[in-house]
Structure formats: structure tokens, C-alpha cells
Amino acid sequence: MLDNDTTDDFADQMVQCRNCGVPPMIHGSRFLLRPPGGHSMAKVHQALKLAGCVARSGRRHQELVVEVDDHHRLADALVESLHMNELADTMIMPAKDDGPDLDQLWSVMRLSDYTANVRGAWLVDLVESGRLTAFMQPIVDATLRPVGHECLVRGHDTDGNLIPAGRMFEAASSPRLAAYFDRAARLTAVARSKRLPTDQTCFINFQPSVLYDPENCLRTTVAALKEYGIDPGRVVFEVVETDHVSDMAHLRRIVDYYRNAGFRVALDDFGSGYNNLSQFVGLRPDFIKIDKALVLSLNSHPIARRLVEFLVATAQDNGIKIIAEGVEDAQTFDTLKAIGVDFYQGFYFARPAPDPVTSVTLQ
């Protein structure tokens, strides 16, 4: 039985499911449900009845064989069921006759992941149909010279309308779907970075929580950069949601892997978690990006300014460059320059766009 390790191997298996008309690792119409010990089968029956599914006992005690006509209807019913939280750890697997299909044991998953994958099927279709793209937003120095761009993932719906990154990452709520989408986003950013001038740096986001084994999970990203002939020294990988990182040893393995491969590293969204600043500085990142919320309150809350001053001073003492995100007006830009921030990013300079820029016009 597979666990929730999220590697590129899982993502490869998910891609193979693109012609099934159903989410990754969801096949056929007959499934076996196995609730964890101590859970009432009556609660499972109630959820299935709500979805209009036919269920019968399996070969073993505490197993149900379920006939599914509409995966989306079942997923919606499970989410709406009052018992979903209690049923989340129920295992679902393809069935053959009245027992598990041994040829498809790789697709065993928790019921909560099943519902997330079904409801996120539109995201898989978006990726597989080539509707995932990346926009680029410049990062400038104090003279307004673009020194690099951050690649920001976007999607298009079937009518060509833009889908924001937040909606897509929210849809990728199961571990395997999150790994699949994070990998697709990284590879899309790599492909877009080919457009950058050779004197500019490309900033690419990744989520450390979906990378179980850095070497295995990131090898396709590194291989794509080599294929496009992009010098590793021009690439900075951004650790998103820095303030939510709890496993510092895991994060250090990722940072060390990238650094040993010749890339640079940035800690993104840095702000409210500054109590752990010493731990993050100990990772020796090349850049720290100050969280947008902190930048926006810079001129209205004195404590925000003092915090930014402290971050900048600490970074300078450790040879780390500071990037301020969310710069939207001249006053904020002037304040950040006075504090000594190294680089700047925000709508004041340019909004994300499909192509990079070589100069900026203040907004």
C-alpha cells in the first residue's frame, strides 16, 4: 500500500491517467472501502446512500464493495456528509469482484484524498490540455534597473480567462495532487524563464511541504534547466510560505540540494515568523523576501518599520540580500530605500505579464 510520499514518480503516474476522464489515480466504477478500526460501518453506509451508491459486503470484515456511477456526485456527497471528518482516514482502492484489485494497489488512497482529487479534476485537465502558463514580474534595484523576474504561475479556463494561482493551489489539496501541480508549475516557470535576458535572474517558487525527497522530487526541474541551457547561477528557488515551515531539517536538505547543484535560494513571504529568524539565517539563504503585508503597513505602523529595519540589519550582517515585495507607491519605495533594502518588487514598478522587461515605468 502506498503512503503519502510525494515524488515525481507519483506525478508521472498521475500524468498517465490524463485520458481517463477522471482525476489522477481514480479508475473504473468498482471500489473497496476499508474504514479504520473502531469506525462504524453505518456511517459509511449513510454517506454512500447520500451519494446514491450501491454497496455490499466484501470478502473481509469491515470492507464494502461500492459501485460508483458518478465520482463527482460521490465526492460532493462525502464532503457534505456530517461524518466526513470521521471517514477521512477510510481507505479507498480499486476492487475486482469482492476484493482489492492487486494490479492497481498503487492507487490506494485515503477517502479525504479521493474527494480532493475528484474535485480537483479540472486542475489536472487544465495542466494536461496546456492551459497552465507563467507570468513574469520584475525585481528592480534602487535605480529601477530590473535585475531579475519572478515567475508566477497562472492558468486559463476553457474560454481563455485567467485563473489566479491561489485558486489552483487551493484545488490541489491532496498530497499527490499538490505534488503533481507543484511540479507542473515549476516546469512551466522553467520554460518561461528562457525568455529572460541573460543578465537577469529567474526566481522560481516551490513548496517544501510537497517535496518528500529533494533529490528525487526536484530532478526533473534541474534536468529541464539543463535542457534549456540555463546557467544554474541565474536561477533562484524561492521557498514559499516560509513562516509556516516547521521541519527545519527537511528545509535544510532542500536548500543544500539546490545550492550543491549551483542554484541560489530565497526565503519567501518572510515576516510574521521573525521569532525564528536565527534558524532561517542559519540556512544561509542568498535572499530573504519581506512579506507583502509587512511592506504595506510600513508607513502606517511604526512597529512594522522597526521590524523591517531589524530584518535588513540582520541580513546585512550575514551577507543576505533583502527583497521587498508588494511595493505599490512612491512613499513605500522611498522608505524602503532609506532603510537599506537591496531590491524591490510590486505593482509600483510593473504588474505580472507574459514577457520580461528590460526597463520599468513607474505606475
Side-chain angles (χ1 to χ4, degrees), residues 242 248 251-252 255-256 259 265-267 270 273-288 310-322:
T242 299
M248 294 299 297
L251 180 57
R252 179 177 291 279
V255 170
D256 289 345
R259 184 170 287 118
V265 176
L267 301 183
F270 208 90
Y274 75 98
N275 286 331
N276 293 322
L277 181 60
S278 60
Q279 293 186 57
F280 289 111
V281 169
L283 294 172
R284 311 301 295 181
D286 300 279
F287 302 91
I288 286 178
F310 174 70
L311 289 173
V312 170
T314 303
Q316 289 176 342
D317 289 343
N318 289 274
I320 301 169
K321 299 296 184 182
I322 289 285

Side-chain angles (χ1 to χ4, degrees), residues 292-308:
K292 178 180 179 179
L294 189 59
V295 172
L296 290 176
S297 60
L298 190 63
N299 288 307
S300 56
H301 294 85
I303 192 171
R305 174 163 183 153
R306 289 195 294 271
L307 177 54
V308 172

Side-chain angles (χ1 to χ4, degrees), residues 120-127 129-135 152-172 181 352:
W122 66 270
L123 184 62
V124 178
D125 179 66
L126 181 150
V127 172
S129 61
R131 291 185 283 114
L132 186 66
T133 187
F135 277 23
L152 302 164
V153 66
R154 298 287 187 270
H156 289 100
D157 63 21
T158 53
D159 294 324
N161 301 310
L162 276 178
I163 301 174
R167 183 186 168 200
M168 294 186 289
F169 279 106
E170 182 178 352
F181 182 68

